[in-house]
Amino acid sequence: MCLKRVSKLHSEGAPGRLKAFFINAINWILKCFFGNAAVMRSLLITLSLASALAPLRGTTLERLPLVEMTQKSTAIVRAKVVGASGVLRGADVYTVYQIEIVESWKGSGKSKSVEVAVPGGVAGGWRQMVAGAPSLHVGEQYVMFLWTSRSGLTQLIGLTQGLFSVEQSGAGDAMAMRAAAGELMLDASGHAVKDEAVSLKLSDLKAQVHRALSEEK
């Protein structure tokens, strides 16, 4: 029976909680309906529509000043992206980026590489889109404000707010740049605010981070 081929994905949580069940669509089709062209065509059309109409998870961001991001981060690094892959964690899809640390501004210890999870992506036959989640590009450098949870998952603080691309200016200066977030953003009082793009010398960003760290002490 086809039902026996359904794969289970157990969500994280305390024992006794309900578990989430998902169908690996590709494996199910190939193993259960291969050879039945009419059924297979119907299922493929349905799955294509479902993928195209996958819910876009809304995002509301809290505006985080640089000082607050610096103090809340468990690590701040300048790093190069060397790889990426999609993974499932319970009902959530993440794109996990493998990064090589070029320079550590806070934390990270002696680690030379880190995996950073960004919500959304493709994994196990599922596509999940998360508004406000940034896309990183293999081969490029970024400054990342990172936070690692107790479960060991390392993420960017404030999604796009915690990510600055490193680029060269026309004058040859290394620049840290971030586009304005397009999602709804609230200040600490819960009032809607408009985000602004950031562009400054990499050395200036580093100096601001070090100043914020010294204030923390």
Side-chain angles (χ1 to χ4, degrees):
M1 293 293 292
C2 289
L3 290 177
K4 293 181 180 180
R5 300 188 186 277
V6 175
S7 60
K8 300 177 182 178
L9 284 173
H10 295 277
S11 61
E12 291 184 333
R17 291 180 58 185
L18 291 175
K19 305 299 183 180
F21 290 81
F22 297 91
I23 297 173
N24 186 317
I26 297 175
N27 289 340
W28 196 31
I29 291 172
L30 291 178
K31 295 178 181 178
C32 299
F33 298 103
F34 184 79
N36 189 328
V39 174
M40 194 165 184
R41 279 197 301 272
S42 177
L43 282 171
L44 286 173
I45 292 172
T46 301
L47 289 168
S48 297
L49 289 173
S51 177
L53 299 175
L56 182 68
R57 291 169 53 184
T59 303
T60 300
L61 299 175
E62 177 186 358
R63 184 172 64 181
L64 299 174
L66 183 65
V67 171
E68 187 175 353
M69 281 204 307
T70 298
Q71 295 175 350
K72 287 185 175 180
S73 297
T74 54
I76 303 172
V77 299
R78 179 163 65 96
K80 179 180 179 180
V81 178
V82 296
S85 58
V87 300
L88 277 168
R89 287 177 66 93
D92 296 318
V93 177
Y94 288 87
T95 300
V96 177
Y97 294 95
Q98 293 78 44
I99 66 170
E100 289 184 351
I101 297 175
V102 176
E103 185 179 16
S104 177
W105 295 357
K106 178 185 178 182
S108 80
K110 297 181 179 179
S111 300
K112 297 298 182 182
S113 61
V114 177
E115 290 190 339
V116 178
V118 174
V122 179
W126 292 88
R127 179 188 299 275
Q128 194 174 75
M129 297 176 288
V130 178
S135 294
L136 284 66
H137 302 285
V138 174
E140 295 189 7
Q141 281 195 23
Y142 300 87
V143 172
M144 303 179 184
F145 291 72
L146 305 173
W147 179 80
T148 301
S149 68
R150 292 182 179 180
S151 67
L153 187 68
T154 298
Q155 301 185 70
L156 293 163
I157 280 187
L159 294 178
T160 53
Q161 295 181 87
L163 181 71
F164 293 80
S165 60
V166 177
E167 303 177 17
Q168 294 294 124
S169 70
D173 296 316
M175 304 292 293
M177 307 179 72
R178 176 177 70 78
E183 291 66 42
L184 175 63
M185 184 170 287
L186 306 177
D187 62 17
S189 301
H191 299 115
V193 293
K194 185 178 181 180
D195 191 31
E196 296 181 353
V198 178
S199 178
L200 71 168
K201 289 184 178 180
L202 183 64
S203 58
D204 291 340
L205 178 61
K206 183 177 180 179
Q208 290 184 33
V209 167
H210 286 170
R211 186 159 52 248
L213 290 175
S214 65
E215 292 174 359
E216 186 179 18
K217 298 177 182 178

